[in-house]
């Protein structure tokens, strides 16, 4: 059956413009409806422009932007190369590979890795190689050379969160040693020398940072059973002439405080993000900077996350999570915030600056991850993940909030959308509930091909940020304590019932899927 009535299109356009975005079904392509034809077919049977092979193949992963030696660097995870992580550099608008074939810049510390490379002021690259977990030195025009000692067993010593010590050839890094037990410490690494232990005694370490003057060092540490989004400690130590720490003292953190991203500015002031008020907020030398009742950082599942950046003119760039979207703001010396010209989406701590320019890797509701360069307030897209959909086929994320026993709970709703198809009058779409992993993680509102696979076929999707998800404050994260498999399951079921009660989906045609922690939630939802 084919619909060719322009008045039907105009009626729908009127309805969409006079209702809240979530109340209507997916907007149709009005121009196509007026000038062409739309096939009427039941929800779930539409022919999609997105093949399963497109989703399975994935797109290039983009991560860890860094400025050094006048250039912008980042990591590319390439599915076509077996998932190899390649360090690349921007040169005169051209993206060139820095890492030669046969090497893979990926760390295995804490299993999730991160912080796998750094670059000094001369353009020498230091990186962790996946196969052996050695740190390699790659000088311009040279070949990679391992600079860490041979462990007692293959891959038994691992490194992450690499940082160059200014004006030296030395690095500091997190080291993880696997033997009868797993031990973590902070070490200084100099080529052709044995690593020197700088800090030990805690179960976990992250974020070692050296002041620009080279005489002070900061880091984070925590112990089992805590996770870094539950309880961390921020330590600072002076460095003597031999770069050994002295006069250590704890400056923030504890059992009820999570610290993220300690960072020194050029004047030697220490900045960090803390959730001591119930939300991750920005601090400078222990004083709040532009406090807001919203999270300004995310969970440190991996090393090297950057949620704020300090610029040479005294201003800063900070993240504020709003309805699950990460917005970037320019922060002046007086604490006033100005939105930046970066598409609304998420960057997940992938910021970098050289003091004047800023780089961010972020997605948007209609765009996959993109490397963006921001100079003098102007944003330029440098590199995009390989596959994007026709905007007419994209169902954008719509934030929703629905009630549960613990209070308001959050999700993103995606209505069916395909410019080629129209559902029969009165039919409601089937629903697929997405349950993210973690569980203390969060789903993103950025373009997700796995979701668009369903929406372009005529399914609705709800991607649930159930209790325990990050981005909504500490209390929301802790709603899952002692309730895993209970609160998250209830929230996913509640999201489905909420949408059915609003008449947006068919209550008799629902499915749920999830992986990792979300797989447990899926099984619990089906079982209980």
């Amino acid at each position: 059956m084919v619909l060719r009535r322009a008045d039907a299109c105009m009626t729908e356009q009127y309805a969409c413009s006079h209702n809240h975005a979530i109340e209507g079904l997916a907007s149709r392509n009005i121009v196509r409806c007026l000038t062409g034809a739309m096939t009427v077919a039941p929800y779930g049977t539409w022919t999609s422009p997105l093949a399963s092979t497109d989703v399975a193949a994935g797109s290039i992963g983009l991560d860890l932007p860094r400025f050094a030696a006048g250039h912008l660097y980042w990591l590319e995870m390439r599915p076509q190369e077996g998932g190899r992580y390649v360090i690349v550099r921007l040169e005169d608008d051209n993206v060139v590979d820095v890492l030669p074939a046969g090497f893979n810049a990926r760390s295995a510390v804490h299993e999730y890795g991160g912080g796998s490379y750094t670059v000094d002021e001369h353009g020498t690259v230091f990186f962790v190689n996946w196969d052996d977990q050695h740190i390699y030195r790659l000088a311009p025009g040279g070949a990679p050379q391992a600079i860490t000692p041979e462990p007692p067993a293959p891959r038994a010593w691992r490194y992450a969160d690499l940082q160059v010590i200014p004006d030296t050839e030395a690095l500091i890094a997190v080291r993880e040693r696997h033997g009868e037990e797993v031990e973590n410490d902070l070490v200084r690494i100099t080529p052709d020398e044995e690593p020197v232990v700088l800090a030990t005694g805690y179960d976990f370490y992250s974020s070692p940072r050296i002041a620009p003057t080279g005489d002070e060092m900061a880091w984070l540490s925590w112990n089992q059973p805590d996770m870094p989004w539950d309880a961390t400690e921020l330590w600072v130590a002076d460095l003597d002439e031999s770069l050994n720490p002295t006069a250590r003292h704890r400056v923030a953190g504890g059992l009820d405080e999570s610290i993220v991203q300690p960072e020194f500015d050029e004047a030697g002031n220490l900045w960090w993000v803390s959730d001591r008020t119930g939300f991750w907020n920005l601090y400078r030398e222990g004083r709040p900077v532009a406090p807001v009742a919203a999270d300004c950082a995310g969970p440190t599942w991996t090393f090297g996350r950057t949620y704020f950046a300090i610029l040479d003119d005294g201003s800063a760039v900070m993240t504020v999570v709003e309805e699950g979207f990460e917005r970037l703001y320019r922060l002046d010396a007086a604490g006033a915030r100005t939105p930046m010209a970066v598409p609304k989406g998420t960057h997940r701590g992938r910021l970098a600056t050289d003091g004047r320019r800023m780089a961010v890797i972020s997605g948007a509701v209609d765009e996959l991850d993109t490397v963006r360069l921001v100079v003098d307030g102007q944003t330029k897209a440098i590199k995009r993940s390989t596959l994007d959909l026709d905007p007419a086929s994209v169902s954008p994320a719509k934030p929703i909030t629905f009630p549960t026993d613990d209070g308001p709970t959050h999700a993103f709703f995606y209505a069916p959308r395909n410019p080629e198809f129209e559902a029969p009058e009165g039919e409601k779409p089937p629903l697929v509930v997405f349950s993210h992993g973690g569980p203390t993680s969060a789903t993103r509102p950025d373009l997700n091909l796995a979701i668009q696979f369903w929406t372009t076929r005529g399914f609705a999707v709800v991607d649930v940020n159930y209790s325990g998800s990050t981005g909504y404050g500490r209390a929301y994260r802790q709603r899952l304590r002692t309730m895993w498999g209970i609160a998250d399951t209830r929230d996913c079921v509640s999201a489905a019932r909420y949408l059915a009660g609003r008449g947006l989906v068919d209550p008799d045609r629902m499915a749920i899927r999830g992986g990792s922690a979300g797989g447990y939630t899926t099984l619990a939802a089906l079982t209980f």
Side-chain angles (χ1 to χ4, degrees):
M1 180 178 179
V2 176
L3 176 69
R4 290 190 173 89
R5 291 184 55 201
D7 58 341
C9 298
M10 299 308 294
T11 299
E12 178 187 23
Q13 184 182 35
Y14 177 86
C16 289
S17 65
H18 285 73
N19 288 283
H20 190 275
I22 197 62
E23 296 295 341
L25 297 175
S27 62
R28 308 293 192 257
N29 186 326
I30 301 301
V31 173
R32 170 178 290 277
C33 193
L34 289 170
T35 61
M38 295 178 69
T39 300
V40 174
Y43 285 118
T45 68
W46 299 351
T47 302
S48 171
L50 188 62
S52 58
T53 51
D54 296 328
V55 180
S59 301
I60 291 174
L62 305 170
D63 202 6
L64 285 177
R66 299 282 185 267
F67 282 102
H71 293 290
L72 172 62
Y73 296 76
W74 67 86
L75 279 179
E76 292 187 359
M77 189 283 290
R78 298 176 177 171
Q80 70 274 22
E81 297 183 31
R84 186 169 79 101
Y85 285 73
V86 182
I87 304 168
V88 302
R89 180 174 61 226
L90 183 64
E91 294 183 359
D92 299 325
D93 293 331
N94 295 315
V95 179
V96 299
D97 286 2
V98 174
L99 200 66
F103 291 90
N104 184 356
R106 184 182 176 192
S107 168
V109 176
H110 297 181
E111 304 304 324
Y112 291 96
S116 60
Y117 83 98
T118 190
V119 187
D120 71 12
E121 66 269 24
H122 306 295
T124 297
V125 176
F126 299 87
F127 69 94
V128 179
N129 187 47
W130 174 251
D131 288 344
D132 55 21
Q133 289 296 293
H134 277 296
I135 296 178
Y136 284 74
R137 180 180 185 271
L138 176 58
Q145 301 292 328
I147 64 171
T148 45
E150 197 66 31
R155 302 178 93 244
W157 293 352
R158 306 172 181 183
Y159 304 88
D161 225 348
L162 311 185
Q163 300 287 318
V164 175
I165 301 178
D167 303 318
T168 74
E169 293 185 353
L171 306 171
I172 53 174
V174 175
R175 180 178 65 174
E176 185 175 86
R177 291 176 294 168
H178 289 246
E180 292 185 2
E181 296 183 354
V182 178
E183 297 179 283
N184 286 264
D185 51 24
L186 295 180
V187 294
R188 184 178 71 248
I189 297 167
T190 305
D192 304 320
E193 296 182 13
E194 288 293 317
V196 176
V197 176
L198 302 178
T200 188
Y202 280 77
D203 292 331
F204 301 101
Y205 289 88
S206 77
S207 311
R209 298 295 182 265
I210 300 291
T213 54
D215 61 356
E216 202 171 15
M217 171 183 172
W219 69 89
L220 298 177
S221 58
W222 67 98
N223 285 315
Q224 296 184 15
D226 293 315
M227 301 295 275
W229 46 84
D230 293 324
T232 52
E233 297 177 2
L234 173 59
W235 288 79
V236 173
D238 296 331
L239 295 179
D240 62 21
E241 293 181 355
S242 300
L243 301 177
N244 293 316
T246 62
R248 310 162 191 245
H249 61 284
R250 192 181 75 182
V251 299
L255 293 179
D256 297 312
E257 184 177 0
S258 170
I259 308 292
V260 177
Q261 192 194 335
E263 203 83 59
F264 288 99
D265 62 22
E266 288 298 319
N269 298 304
L270 184 60
W271 300 57
W272 65 85
V273 176
S274 166
D275 71 347
R276 65 179 63 169
T277 65
F279 294 95
W280 274 313
N281 272 207
L282 186 60
Y283 290 79
R284 177 180 178 269
E285 292 293 313
R287 295 182 294 275
V289 180
V292 59
D295 277 337
C296 300
T300 50
W301 282 92
T302 60
F303 296 97
R305 300 298 96 186
T306 301
Y307 292 93
F308 68 91
I310 307 162
L311 306 180
D312 289 343
D313 62 3
S315 66
V317 174
M318 67 180 294
T319 302
V320 179
V321 182
E322 301 170 348
E323 292 189 307
F325 292 83
E326 292 177 345
R327 300 296 304 273
L328 289 176
Y329 288 87
R330 186 73 172 260
L331 184 67
D332 66 20
R337 294 194 306 268
T338 303
M340 298 189 66
V342 175
K344 182 179 178 181
T346 59
H347 59 79
R348 293 176 295 147
R350 295 173 296 176
L351 297 179
T353 184
D354 62 359
R356 184 180 68 86
R357 300 174 295 172
M358 190 190 79
V360 56
I361 298 175
S362 63
V365 294
D366 57 354
E367 189 176 30
L368 295 172
D369 277 348
T370 301
V371 180
R372 309 177 201 274
L373 188 63
V374 184
V375 182
D376 297 329
Q378 302 298 312
T379 301
K380 178 181 179 181
I382 300 297
K383 178 66 179 288
R384 180 171 293 132
S385 294
T386 53
L387 177 66
D388 274 326
L389 286 175
D390 179 350
S393 298
V394 172
S395 177
K398 303 291 185 181
I400 63 171
T401 301
F402 54 94
T404 66
D405 292 343
D406 286 335
T409 306
H410 308 284
F412 294 106
F413 178 67
Y414 299 81
R417 183 168 184 174
N418 188 320
E420 302 285 347
F421 289 89
E422 176 82 69
E425 185 176 355
E427 183 182 6
K428 293 181 173 59
L431 176 69
V432 182
V433 179
F434 275 48
S435 175
H436 68 71
T440 310
S441 183
T443 188
R444 305 167 56 199
D446 304 334
L447 180 62
N448 183 335
L449 298 183
I451 289 175
Q452 303 300 321
F453 174 88
W454 294 99
T455 57
T456 53
R457 284 166 168 78
F459 291 82
V461 171
V462 62
D463 203 356
V464 185
N465 271 327
Y466 49 76
S467 297
S469 300
T470 48
Y472 305 96
R474 185 178 182 93
Y476 194 86
R477 290 201 307 276
Q478 294 184 337
R479 277 168 39 169
L480 201 63
R481 284 190 171 183
T482 72
M483 295 291 286
W484 189 17
I486 300 172
D488 47 330
T489 302
R490 174 207 62 202
D491 293 350
C492 288
V493 172
S494 296
R497 288 176 172 166
Y498 171 80
L499 293 169
R502 303 295 289 270
L504 298 173
V505 299
D506 186 343
D508 296 322
R509 292 189 292 167
M510 293 181 173
I512 184 170
R513 50 85 62 203
S516 189
Y520 178 61
T521 303
T522 297
L523 292 175
L526 296 175
T527 303
F528 304 116

